[in-house]
Amino acid sequence: MGKFIVISKGTEMLRIPPERLVYISADGNYSDVHTLDGRPQMVSYQLGQLEDMISDQLGDEGSSFIRLGRGYIVNMEYVHLIDISQKRLVLSDCECFYQELEPSREVLVKLKAYLDATYSDD
């Protein structure tokens, strides 16, 4: 059996295979967890707490999840398009999942630079 990200609090538990977690968005003191099935699940954790959980539970395998400013944690495997001029980030599996996000321009500049550096090393 593979690894899972387990988000548990009170009487609820959410268990997700890391490869099915596309992104997490901030919603005040809560967060919305978005998976490939397209149905977001609200959890009572802030992004920083979820970022720590992912790191603790997945170790080095959690490196594909990156924090984008105050609003998002994104699975880098699903970054499909970065359009800095339109302040647009598209996450897609190139099959059935497609989601547009609107992070800040600064976040997109840093994300693009990070990915450019990552892929230029290959």
Side-chain angles (χ1 to χ4, degrees), residues 52-89:
D52 292 342
M53 265 186 221
I54 290 169
S55 178
D56 291 346
Q57 293 178 18
L58 298 181
D60 290 342
E61 292 176 36
S63 64
S64 65
F65 294 92
I66 189 166
R67 177 81 178 257
L68 299 182
R70 295 180 181 181
Y72 303 101
I73 296 172
V74 171
N75 186 339
M76 299 297 284
E77 300 297 319
Y78 294 101
V79 173
H80 179 66
L81 171 74
I82 299 170
D83 186 338
I84 296 168
S85 64
Q86 298 292 316
K87 289 194 343 184
R88 199 168 67 119
L89 173 64

Side-chain angles (χ1 to χ4, degrees), residues 24-26 31 45-51 67 70-73:
I24 304 170
S25 58
S31 297
Y45 285 100
Q46 295 175 339
L47 278 188
Q49 295 169 307
L50 292 171
E51 187 177 26
R67 177 81 178 257
R70 295 180 181 181
Y72 303 101
I73 296 172

Side-chain angles (χ1 to χ4, degrees), residues 32-46:
D32 293 317
V33 178
H34 300 262
T35 55
L36 281 177
D37 66 7
R39 291 179 274 192
Q41 178 68 44
M42 182 177 277
V43 296
S44 57
Y45 285 100
Q46 295 175 339

